[in-house]
Amino acid sequence: MMLNLMHKIIALMQRFPGLLAVLAFASGVASYILVERKESIAQLMALFLLVSWLWLLLDNWLRERIERRFGIALSPNLVRFVLQMVHQESLFFALPFFLAVTSWHHGQAVFTLLIMLCALISVIDPLYYKKLAPQRTLFVVFHAFALFVLLSIVLPVLLQLTTSQSMATALGIAVLLSLPSLGAIMPGGRWWRVPFLLCLLTVLSAGLWQLRSWVPAAAIRLNTITLSHEMDYAQRKPGDGISQINSQDLKQQGLYSFTSITVPRGLNEQIFHVWLHNGKEVDRIKLNIIGGGASGYRAWSHKLNFPANSVGNWQVEVVTESEQLIGLARFTVTAATSPELVSGSSI
């Protein structure tokens, strides 16, 4: 009976191939909202996706046990179709999280566009089955990428791992679980096979880690960033925002960088306000944020010490420990109207 039900569901999915993608995207939007409002439901969604991936990783072992125990032989085509459904579900589930936090003027746009491209391939059967699936190495990379994308969402929500921890763990798991598939395309019985795979793992992990700043911090959302001369400490609110200031006022009054950031409930995260002058970093101020607030965790830095020649283009970037950009604000410093300069300190 269960097998018949499974065949009916698969027949329905084959008849309407885009239906699962729509449902997965909708569940991703719902989960993104529920992370803040009803965390337990979002965690169940994430757990379901993770379990489906574990089932696929144990595919051959499970098929053998099912055939021995129940005498039912699952068709490889059936398993391949289920794999396609999980790819669709994972990519479309994660897409709303990444769309909401991507900085489109940054290299992060490349990563999110790649998710969109992979999600599109997963719902177009001629591309998925005729172009992607026959290319074993390319298919392994596709599979690992989908798993990495999913884990980037699941780990902070389920385990309250920080962005840096989630990034490293997701990358390690995706690469390690790809090794058996990569090993299958290499000639067997050669003494150098294992050392080569280990070297490949090291090089691949190191290369991907260097590109970590291009991966949006999907579990963190910057609600607002304001640059201001004033801060209401009692209300935890900044004064009026500024986009331009002269160098004399800047040195006399300094500048507050105020941020409101939403992270999953219970997560403790470390972020940095990075101050850049004409593209060069001049200061980096560490802040600790805690998840759970409905309006986001409000934190700020106050910079008083600026270079003698501060005229030019400035920006304040909000980044994680793993250098993933969360958001930024820009301002311009013009020449002073008075020659008087006042020195200060940075806190």
Side-chain angles (χ1 to χ4, degrees):
M1 181 177 178
M2 179 63 74
L3 190 60
N4 289 335
L5 178 60
M6 184 182 298
H7 281 295
K8 288 180 180 179
I9 294 174
I10 290 175
L12 179 63
M13 292 296 103
Q14 287 176 325
R15 186 178 178 185
F16 303 102
L19 179 60
L20 182 65
V22 172
L23 293 175
F25 186 80
S27 68
V29 173
S31 183
Y32 182 78
I33 297 171
L34 291 170
V35 163
E36 302 171 27
R37 300 184 182 176
K38 194 88 173 178
E39 185 188 11
S40 59
I41 297 177
Q43 288 182 335
L44 287 175
M45 292 180 180
L47 185 61
F48 169 75
L49 285 171
L50 188 58
V51 169
S52 68
W53 271 100
L54 292 175
W55 179 78
L56 286 171
L57 294 171
L58 298 173
D59 168 45
N60 292 331
W61 183 85
L62 286 174
R63 277 198 292 153
E64 291 176 2
R65 295 302 181 276
I66 290 174
E67 187 171 359
R68 288 180 185 175
R69 180 69 177 82
F70 302 103
I72 301 173
L74 296 179
S75 168
N77 291 332
L78 173 64
V79 174
R80 186 172 64 171
F81 182 76
V82 172
L83 180 59
Q84 181 193 19
M85 288 197 299
V86 174
H87 283 156
Q88 290 179 18
E89 190 178 6
S90 300
L91 292 167
F92 279 98
F93 174 84
L95 190 55
F97 287 84
F98 285 96
L99 287 174
V101 299
T102 297
S103 297
W104 294 101
H105 58 276
H106 189 268
Q108 292 180 351
V110 176
F111 185 87
T112 302
L113 288 172
L114 184 58
I115 296 177
M116 297 171 67
L117 176 62
C118 291
L120 183 63
I121 290 173
S122 71
V123 297
I124 302 177
D125 287 352
L127 287 177
Y128 186 86
Y129 288 110
K130 295 182 180 180
K131 300 296 183 181
L132 177 66
Q135 303 295 325
R136 182 66 179 173
T137 302
L138 187 60
F139 189 75
V140 169
V141 172
F142 183 93
H143 186 82
F145 178 74
L147 179 57
F148 172 77
V149 167
L150 175 65
L151 289 174
S152 298
I153 305 297
V154 170
L155 294 176
V157 173
L158 284 182
L159 305 180
Q160 273 78 52
L161 296 184
T162 66
T163 303
S164 181
Q165 292 170 338
S166 298
M167 176 78 174
T169 304
L171 179 60
I173 292 174
V175 172
L176 280 172
L177 295 180
S178 299
L179 285 182
S181 298
L182 289 173
I185 64 176
M186 297 178 61
R190 303 295 178 86
W191 66 268
W192 48 265
R193 193 165 178 264
V194 172
F196 179 81
L197 284 176
L198 291 176
C199 290
L200 181 64
L201 168 63
T202 303
V203 172
L204 186 59
S205 300
L208 292 174
W209 184 253
Q210 292 302 312
L211 296 174
R212 65 190 182 278
S213 64
W214 285 30
V215 181
I220 300 178
R221 186 179 76 240
L222 179 67
N223 300 323
T224 183
I225 177 170
T226 303
L227 303 175
S228 178
H229 287 310
E230 301 175 347
M231 176 64 61
D232 185 336
Y233 287 88
Q235 298 295 322
R236 298 175 66 86
K237 290 182 179 180
D240 295 334
I242 64 103
S243 59
Q244 183 173 305
I245 184 175
N246 68 66
S247 58
Q248 180 178 334
D249 290 342
L250 182 68
K251 289 181 178 295
Q252 288 178 340
Q253 303 177 43
L255 205 59
Y256 288 92
S257 174
F258 172 88
T259 51
S260 172
I261 298 174
T262 298
V263 295
R265 192 175 303 276
L267 177 63
N268 294 324
E269 182 81 30
Q270 228 176 47
I271 64 167
F272 296 86
H273 284 180
V274 181
W275 296 73
L276 298 103
H277 179 216
N278 293 328
K280 182 179 179 181
E281 181 178 329
V282 297
D283 208 350
R284 177 178 291 251
I285 303 174
K286 181 173 67 175
L287 300 168
N288 294 313
I289 58 175
I290 302 172
S295 60
Y297 190 87
R298 290 168 287 181
W300 59 87
S301 60
H302 186 197
K303 182 169 173 58
L304 294 168
N305 187 27
F306 288 87
N309 181 17
S310 58
V311 175
N313 297 318
W314 285 78
Q315 69 183 37
V316 181
E317 294 183 347
V318 186
V319 302
T320 66
E321 285 184 279
S322 50
E323 297 297 326
Q324 292 168 272
L325 179 68
I326 304 173
L328 59 83
R330 294 185 174 92
F331 67 100
T332 303
V333 177
T334 59
T337 56
S338 168
E340 181 182 358
L341 297 176
V342 180
S343 61
S345 60
S346 174
I347 61 173

